[in-house]
């Protein structure tokens, strides 16, 4: 993240996330813990407090009202409570970006014997406050909103409160908590009735501070005048922060993630239920719920998920998770629909609009609905530059979607992330590290490790056909039919990495020849290959990415080494040996776990990437191909090479049944490229129409 203004985050693609993570403390609980500790009698200890901008605003406000706070590091606080009566603040209390703070503080301050004013930032100043003003006034609070349409600032005068029975018109933990905080100081009984249970951190924390609420059939009953006693609180990891990693790990196939010490309060974990319904693999282990909040671990394994409908009563339990759920839906198979979520329109930003705008920028088809959206899932997205709209959850959700793009994406205005998740960028780097940018710029460590395990051609490992996370476009064909030329153009147009597998067979042949071996001696060739150190580096040449083969720490020269007459004559012989092909097969597949590919060769669609839905086969009349080769100034027996490639027993050159076959004899290079892009566009790859 860049410091200063404007802030932005560059996210490199990463097909999987792996590792363990512990997220910062829960925002909702941190706010409430400070509030209750400040109102309690005695000194409370709060551990794993979230030092985010939002929560620090709450802390500052209570300090301004005479509460003494000692800090041990950044996340342990000792709060000396004021036994219910705070000092009048000298100036307005700043709630920053936090709706939770403003709404809960309104409940507390309505009962204090002094005048107070609550202000917020631009985004908070647009959020509706009528929902708390109405019940507080019923409790005889003297509160008014100074902004247009019942928006902040809030001005509060001292008054004596009385308990009420109040049925929440919309399920809202903030409104419920505001009333309960006011109810602590009200005469008589306060009863809040909710039709759908909202998060119950306030009720659980009240209990930890010695105030019992009665909870039955959606009724929460509180007797006014009960005294809060100091407590020792451990704030669990914030499930809503963990949600970004849970969503990412669940939706990125082959990911493996453990989330430790996270809050597993059932009013917060609706996301898990929805992801399970979409086909996710998640295991939940509650490790401690002795006092207050259940805390535990989650294990998540990545899968291709299926679209779902999220609506009705389950919305309230995932309201903060809807941005990441929309992103997960964008990567799932089929349609994901979010309904009854009009509340999203009055969050830190209009989240429905923000999500729809950003999904479209990433090339995702999405329909905006009054109360949600309908998202057409896809396998991956196009790189994009998007806005956070000043909303932390929008910024983080789209950083996750960017992992599934073919190239780096940029999220603008990301300072807001610190309102709930300081350290998000570091965690993103840690979980994606082994697959990130430095991998592309440095020689490919991962593939080297993989190949080095193949110590002998006679000890070949069976090829595991694990699911490839990125699209692979295969272009096979006869010699000089135009494969390399066309494949490079397609790779440029899509931003994919170009991989010429002919160059791989040529590099091996060149090395065998330069070591003095007779290519007709199969045993010797196989034995020599078992000692070769083969690896691959992805290089960026201008705006174009290319996989380069490195053999025994040398990069062979394309013209003089790989395309010499000797290599032209010998390569089809070396390529006909089954054990050589088996050795090179995992090497070629492994690259596809790292980056979207355009691969060209002879058996790409038939053997190496048979699962690819994007297969092409190029051919042209022999005389035309011979002419093209001659024009290149190369000595090459095109006809002989084709014959050898077509007649070998292992992975012969053929047109896969499901490939699009193109005869390029009378087609210009541009025409061939256009035809391929058109097919790819129709198959749903993110190609801008002008390119297709
Ligand atoms: N459609 C086309 N029309 C005319 N020339 C073409 C066409 N496609 C490719 N060429 C030219 O033909 C030559 C051979 O093309 P290219 O190297 O792309 O073929 P290839 O199939 O990759 O060959 P190889 O099998 O040796 O790797 C190049 O000089 C290229 O510019
Ligand atoms: N997937 C592949 C790629 C290449 N070969 C062999 C057969 C070719 O004649 C030779 C050189 O390829 P070119 O550079 O001309 O594309 O390598 C193969 O068998 N399988």
């Amino acid at each position: 993240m860049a410091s200063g203004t404007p802030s932005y985050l560059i996210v490199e693609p990463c097909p999987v996330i792996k590792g363990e993570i512990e997220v910062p403390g829960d925002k909702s609980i941190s706010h409430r813990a400070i509030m209750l500790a400040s109102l309690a009698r005695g000194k409370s200890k709060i551990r794993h407090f979230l030092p985010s901008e939002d929560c620090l605003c709450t802390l500052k406000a209570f300090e301004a009202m005479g509460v003494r706070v000692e800090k041990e590091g950044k996340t342990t606080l000792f709060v000396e409570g004021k036994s219910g009566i705070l000092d009048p603040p000298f100036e307005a209390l700043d709630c920053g970006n936090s709706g939770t703070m403003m709404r809960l503080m309104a409940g507390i301050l309505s009962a204090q014997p002094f005048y107070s004013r609550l202000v917020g930032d631009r985004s908070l100043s647009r959020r509706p406050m009528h929902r708390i003003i109405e019940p507080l006034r019923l409790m005889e609070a003297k509160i008014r909103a100074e902004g247009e349409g019942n928006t902040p600032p809030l001005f509060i005068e001292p008054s004596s409160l009385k308990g009420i029975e109040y049925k929440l018109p919309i399920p809202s933990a903030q409104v419920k908590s505001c009333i309960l905080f006011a109810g602590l100081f009200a005469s008589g009984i306060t009863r809040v009735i909710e039709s759908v249970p909202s998060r119950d951190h306030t009720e659980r924390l009240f209990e930890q501070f010695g105030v019992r609420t009665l909870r039955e059939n959606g009724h929460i009953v509180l007797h006014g005048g009960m005294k809060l006693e100091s407590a020792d609180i451990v704030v669990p990891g914030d499930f809503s922060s963990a949600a970004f990693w849970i969503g990412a790990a669940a939706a990125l196939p082959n990911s493996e993630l453990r989330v430790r010490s996270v809050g597993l309060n059932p009013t917060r974990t609706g996301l898990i239920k929805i992801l399970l319904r979409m086909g996710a693999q998640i295991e939940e282990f509650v490790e401690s719920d002795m006092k207050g909040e259940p805390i535990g671990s989650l294990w998540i394994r990545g899968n291709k998920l299926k679209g779902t409908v999220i609506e009705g009563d389950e919305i309230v339990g995932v309201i903060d998770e809807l941005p990441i759920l929309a992103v997960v839906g964008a990567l799932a198979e089929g349609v994901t629909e979010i309904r009854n979520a009009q509340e999203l329109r009055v969050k830190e930003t209009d989240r429905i609009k923000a999500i729809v705008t950003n999904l479209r920028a990433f090339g995702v088809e999405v329909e905006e609905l009054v109360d949600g959206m309908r998202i057409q899932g896809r396998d991956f997205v196009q790189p994009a530059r998007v806005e956070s709209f000043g909303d932390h959850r929008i910024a983080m959700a789209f950083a996750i979607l960017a992992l599934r793009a073919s190239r780096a994406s940029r999220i603008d205005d990301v300072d807001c992330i610190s309102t709930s998740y300081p350290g998000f960028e570091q965690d993103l780097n840690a979980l994606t590290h082994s697959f990130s940018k430095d991998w592309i710029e440095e020689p490919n460590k991962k593939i080297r490790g993989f190949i080095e395990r193949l110590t002998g051609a006679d000890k070949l490992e069976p090829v595991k056909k694990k699911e490839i996370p990125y699209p692979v476009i295969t272009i096979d064909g006869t010699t000089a039919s135009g494969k390399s030329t066309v494949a490079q153009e397609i790779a440029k147009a899509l931003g994919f990495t170009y991989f010429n597998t002919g160059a791989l067979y040529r590099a091996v042949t060149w090395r065998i020849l330069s070591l003095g071996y007779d290519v007709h001696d199969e045993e010797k060739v196989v034995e020599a290959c078992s000692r070769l150190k083969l690896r691959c580096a992805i290089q960026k040449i201008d705006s174009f990415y290319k996989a380069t083969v490195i053999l025994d720490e040398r990069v062979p020269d394309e013209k003089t080494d790989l395309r010499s007459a000797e290599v032209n004559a010998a390569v089809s012989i070396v390529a006909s040996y089954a054990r050589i092909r088996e050795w090179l097969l995992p090497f070629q597949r492994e690259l596809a776990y790292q980056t979207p590919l355009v691969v060209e060769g002879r058996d790409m669609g038939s053997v190496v990437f048979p699962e690819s839905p994007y297969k092409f086969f190029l051919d042209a009349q022999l005389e035309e191909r011979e002419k093209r080769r001659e024009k290149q100034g190369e000595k090459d027996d095109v006809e002989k090479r084709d014959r050898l490639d077509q007649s070998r027993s292992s992975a012969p050159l053929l047109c896969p049944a499901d490939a699009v076959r193109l005869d390029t004899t009378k087609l210009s290079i541009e025409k061939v490229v256009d035809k391929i892009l058109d097919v790819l566009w129709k198959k749903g790859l993110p190609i801008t129409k002008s390119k297709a």
Side-chain angles (χ1 to χ4, degrees):
M1 218 174 297
S3 59
T5 312
S7 64
Y8 61 87
L9 186 63
I10 300 288
V11 183
E12 294 286 344
C14 178
V16 297
I17 65 166
K18 282 193 195 270
E20 281 200 20
I21 190 149
E22 200 175 317
V23 291
D26 188 286
K27 183 154 79 80
S28 300
I29 298 174
S30 293
H31 276 301
R32 288 162 169 82
I34 298 171
M35 292 173 183
L36 289 165
S38 298
L39 294 168
R41 192 177 64 131
K43 196 184 222 176
S44 295
K45 183 176 182 183
I46 305 171
R47 283 178 279 177
H48 204 230
F49 166 77
L50 173 68
S52 72
E53 280 176 15
D54 267 18
C55 297
L56 292 174
C57 278
T58 297
L59 192 60
K60 226 170 125 194
F62 281 97
E63 284 178 315
M65 291 187 285
V67 175
R68 291 233 312 272
V69 180
E70 287 163 40
K71 292 181 189 157
E72 203 177 88
K74 278 189 175 170
T75 59
T76 301
L77 305 179
F78 296 91
V79 181
E80 191 70 57
K82 301 268 300 170
S83 301
I85 310 288
L86 301 163
D87 297 345
F90 289 112
E91 47 193 31
L93 299 169
D94 183 6
C95 301
N97 187 251
S98 175
T100 301
M101 176 179 171
M102 186 169 278
R103 291 177 177 137
L104 273 53
M105 290 297 278
I108 294 169
L109 294 172
S110 290
Q112 292 296 314
F114 50 76
Y115 292 85
S116 55
R117 197 158 172 263
L118 292 167
V119 297
D121 68 7
R122 250 164 60 94
S123 144
L124 181 55
S125 299
R126 287 195 291 260
R127 296 180 68 181
M129 292 297 148
H130 179 69
R131 54 183 66 185
I132 54 146
I133 292 174
E134 183 190 85
L136 286 175
R137 283 189 180 157
L138 291 172
M139 297 176 90
E140 296 188 354
K142 292 184 182 141
I143 176 167
R144 67 168 194 271
E146 294 175 343
E148 209 178 297
N150 276 311
T151 54
L154 295 179
F155 185 72
I156 302 163
E157 294 176 43
S159 68
S160 299
L161 304 184
K162 68 170 177 56
I164 50 165
E165 178 171 312
Y166 190 75
K167 188 166 189 299
L168 295 175
I170 43 160
S172 164
Q174 290 178 358
V175 178
K176 172 178 70 177
S177 301
C178 167
I179 300 169
L180 292 176
F181 269 104
L184 277 175
F185 306 99
S187 59
I189 291 174
T190 296
R191 182 186 294 265
V192 183
I193 304 165
E194 51 183 5
S195 51
V196 184
S198 60
R199 56 181 70 175
D200 62 358
H201 303 307
T202 301
E203 298 91 302
R204 287 174 188 259
L205 276 171
F206 271 19
E207 211 144 316
Q208 287 183 270
F209 281 90
V211 169
R212 293 208 66 182
T213 53
L214 236 127
R215 287 182 265 168
E216 230 172 47
N217 301 329
H219 289 229
I220 302 119
V221 181
L222 170 71
H223 287 265
M226 283 198 282
K227 299 284 176 258
L228 296 159
E229 295 296 335
S230 59
D232 189 344
I233 305 293
V234 180
V235 179
D238 195 324
F239 184 84
S240 297
S241 297
F244 298 100
W245 311 123
I246 299 168
L252 298 175
N254 303 312
S255 292
E256 281 172 18
L257 180 72
R258 182 182 172 210
V259 184
R260 288 189 315 260
S261 305
V262 65
L264 295 173
N265 181 322
T267 60
R268 291 288 295 280
T269 53
L271 171 80
I272 297 178
K273 246 197 232 156
I274 293 170
L275 289 175
L276 289 172
R277 190 164 80 220
M278 294 174 86
Q281 294 182 58
I282 303 176
E283 285 172 84
E284 187 179 334
F285 301 92
V286 175
E287 283 144 13
S288 123
D289 63 353
M290 299 199 312
K291 256 185 147 193
E293 297 281 343
I295 301 182
S297 298
L298 292 170
W299 288 86
I300 305 114
R301 276 180 200 83
N303 247 346
K304 181 77 192 163
L305 303 181
K306 289 198 166 57
T308 189
V309 180
I310 306 161
E311 62 181 352
D313 288 356
E314 73 183 348
I315 290 292
V316 63
V318 289
I319 193 75
D320 285 345
E321 285 66 69
L322 288 173
I324 185 65
L325 272 168
V327 161
V328 169
L331 298 176
E333 198 182 308
V335 174
T336 292
E337 202 169 312
I338 298 174
R339 303 303 305 255
N340 313 118
Q342 53 276 25
E343 182 65 11
L344 287 182
R345 298 225 181 250
V346 290
K347 286 285 179 183
E348 281 82 335
T349 184
D350 177 345
R351 283 188 178 159
I352 294 181
K353 217 166 212 53
I355 293 170
V356 167
T357 305
N358 286 358
L359 284 178
R360 285 187 182 144
F362 275 97
V364 178
E365 230 178 88
V366 54
E367 187 185 340
E368 180 174 347
L369 308 170
V370 184
D371 61 348
M373 64 202 77
R374 193 173 294 120
I375 304 158
Q376 178 63 55
R378 54 189 312 148
D379 284 341
F380 68 102
V381 293
Q382 66 192 25
R385 180 175 173 174
V386 294
E387 275 274 326
S388 72
F389 300 93
D391 186 322
H392 52 133
R393 298 202 198 282
I394 296 294
M396 291 186 274
F398 283 91
I400 299 299
L401 186 62
L403 296 175
R404 202 65 170 145
S406 53
R407 293 282 164 239
S409 295
R410 175 173 162 148
I411 323 289
D412 281 323
D413 190 13
V414 292
D415 278 346
C416 53
I417 290 177
S418 55
T419 61
S420 69
Y421 197 158
F424 173 79
E425 188 191 3
Q426 287 85 324
D427 286 348
L428 178 69
N429 283 338
L431 291 176
T432 58
H433 178 72
S434 53
F435 291 91
S436 66
K437 163 165 138 246
D438 58 332
W439 178 85
I440 289 184
E441 283 164 2
E442 281 176 24
N444 185 342
K445 296 173 208 144
K446 286 212 151 282
I447 290 182
R448 180 176 48 201
F450 192 86
I451 292 304
E452 279 170 359
R453 277 192 282 121
L454 294 172
T455 45
D458 54 339
K459 291 189 213 124
L460 289 167
E461 290 186 353
V463 179
K464 276 198 233 119
K465 288 259 160 77
K466 57 177 178 168
E467 193 188 331
I468 286 175
Y470 283 130
V472 178
I473 296 163
T474 68
I475 302 183
D476 289 302
T478 49
T479 299
S481 57
K483 300 182 299 296
S484 314
T485 314
V486 167
Q488 288 180 61
E489 290 309 312
I490 303 293
K492 279 182 206 165
L494 289 168
F496 287 16
T497 299
Y498 164 64
F499 186 21
N500 177 350
T501 61
L504 177 62
Y505 284 93
R506 284 175 183 273
V508 170
T509 306
W510 159 76
R511 191 69 185 133
I512 294 296
L513 288 173
S514 60
L515 289 170
Y517 288 96
D518 172 5
V519 290
H520 295 95
D521 188 340
E522 183 174 348
E523 289 311 314
K524 286 259 167 59
V525 169
V526 168
E527 205 263 331
C529 282
S530 76
R531 285 194 299 274
L532 295 185
K533 275 218 163 133
L534 182 61
R535 63 191 175 91
C536 195
I538 298 178
Q539 291 180 319
K540 194 174 177 192
I541 307 157
D542 300 325
S543 60
F544 168 58
Y545 291 81
K546 181 178 177 184
T548 301
V549 175
I550 303 171
L551 248 184
D552 290 341
E553 298 311 317
R554 281 191 57 186
V555 179
D557 180 81
E558 183 115 18
K559 251 205 144 33
T560 54
D561 296 331
L562 298 188
R563 303 203 72 94
S564 67
E566 294 74 31
V567 170
N568 277 349
V571 64
S572 289
I573 298 162
V574 174
S576 70
Y577 299 144
R579 284 175 290 174
I580 298 293
R581 302 197 75 80
E582 279 172 43
W583 170 50
L584 294 176
L585 179 59
F587 182 87
Q588 296 165 77
R589 274 186 74 80
E590 195 68 9
L591 200 58
Y593 293 100
Q594 323 300 333
T595 174
L597 285 177
V598 180
V599 285
E600 54 119 336
R602 301 294 190 286
D603 59 346
M604 296 297 99
S606 54
V607 174
V608 183
F609 299 106
E611 70 272 57
S612 166
Y614 314 112
K615 291 181 190 168
F616 297 88
F617 189 89
L618 304 189
D619 199 2
Q621 283 167 8
L622 179 63
E623 305 82 74
E624 168 68 16
R625 294 188 287 120
E626 281 173 337
K627 248 193 259 159
R628 291 178 189 173
R629 188 75 349 139
E630 224 179 284
K631 218 166 144 192
Q632 282 178 295
E634 256 182 57
K635 194 166 178 304
D636 194 3
D637 189 338
V638 171
E639 189 179 11
K640 185 170 174 202
R641 210 137 63 80
D642 277 353
R643 205 171 344 99
L644 281 170
D645 293 341
Q646 282 159 345
S647 62
R648 66 182 176 227
S649 56
S650 174
L653 164 66
L654 52 82
C655 175
D658 53 345
V660 173
R661 189 186 181 108
L662 287 168
D663 186 328
T664 71
T665 313
K666 292 198 171 86
L667 295 176
S668 68
I669 295 169
E670 295 71 33
K671 199 94 211 131
V672 179
V673 171
D674 277 356
K675 276 182 183 284
I676 292 179
L677 285 177
D678 191 49
V679 173
L680 293 175
W681 183 67
K682 285 183 182 139
K683 282 179 182 262
L685 287 194
I687 298 160
T688 46
K689 272 208 176 181
S690 61
K691 281 177 186 155

